[in-house]
Amino acid sequence: MADEPREQQTPQAEGRRAVFRVPPTALLSIPILLFCVTPAAFAAPGLQALYILPIAVIVLVVGYRTTATRQGLAVRSLFQTRELAWSDLKGLAITPKSKVQAVLNDGTKVALPSVRTRHIPVLSLVSDGVIADPSGVLDQPEEDEQADEPETGPAEKADEAPAAAEKQ
């Protein structure tokens, strides 16, 4: 029985989590790349090294990712993994190609692999509002709740207008 409450607390303690990565369908390019490289690889001795290209694509697709949790960001690239706490961030910068970079308190920029501007509302949700949502997407449920309230009909509005005129 003592194990049950701890298991229930673990998902709540972790909170929300979002993983941004290259879509796995990019791996479908590997057989095509192998097919195209094979004639060139056997054209001359030593060109078999061209088979490194498909292997590099596999490593890039599987390796590059950004994971956002309640604690911060984990940026994983080819040779390193960097942990960024939300408190270490000054904000986000957007490149001309709609890629997102994390701007640290000291002014350095860290590229966030596979994160685009359309993902900023997700980052805002995962960070519990530490990253502001400039799109307003997260504000829409509040507007929907107001839309559920019954609207006054034309007859009720007409009754309110003379009452307001009498008060003046």
Side-chain angles (χ1 to χ4, degrees):
M1 288 189 133
D3 291 336
E4 291 179 15
R6 186 174 54 172
E7 289 176 3
Q8 293 174 354
Q9 291 175 358
T10 303
Q12 293 173 353
E14 289 179 11
R16 294 183 177 107
R17 180 175 179 238
V19 179
F20 306 99
R21 60 179 168 215
V22 178
T25 56
L27 292 173
L28 294 175
S29 65
I30 302 303
I32 297 168
L33 191 57
L34 283 171
F35 181 75
C36 294
V37 166
T38 299
F42 292 104
L47 286 180
Q48 288 83 14
L50 289 175
Y51 283 116
I52 292 175
L53 292 174
I55 294 169
V57 171
I58 291 171
V59 169
L60 292 176
V61 168
V62 173
Y64 279 84
R65 71 181 60 195
T66 301
T67 304
T69 61
R70 179 179 282 170
Q71 290 77 25
L73 295 170
V75 180
R76 190 169 135 189
S77 63
L78 193 57
F79 297 112
Q80 68 178 359
T81 299
R82 187 166 182 183
E83 300 284 333
L84 305 172
W86 293 117
S87 60
D88 295 339
L89 296 179
K90 184 189 293 185
L92 299 175
I94 300 172
T95 66
K97 293 186 177 183
S98 296
K99 294 181 180 181
V100 178
Q101 297 175 333
V103 180
L104 303 179
N105 289 329
D106 62 359
T108 59
K109 293 182 180 179
V110 178
L112 302 178
S114 301
V115 178
R116 301 292 181 262
T117 54
R118 66 179 181 267
H119 298 133
I120 293 176
V122 175
L123 287 174
S124 177
L125 188 64
V126 171
S127 70
D128 291 330
V130 173
I131 299 294
D133 177 22
S135 67
V137 171
L138 298 177
D139 296 335
Q140 288 179 353
E142 293 174 7
E143 294 172 6
D144 292 341
E145 290 174 6
Q146 292 175 358
D148 292 340
E149 295 178 7
E151 294 183 18
T152 56
E156 294 174 4
K157 288 182 181 178
D159 292 338
E160 293 174 5
E166 292 174 8
K167 289 182 182 178
Q168 293 177 355

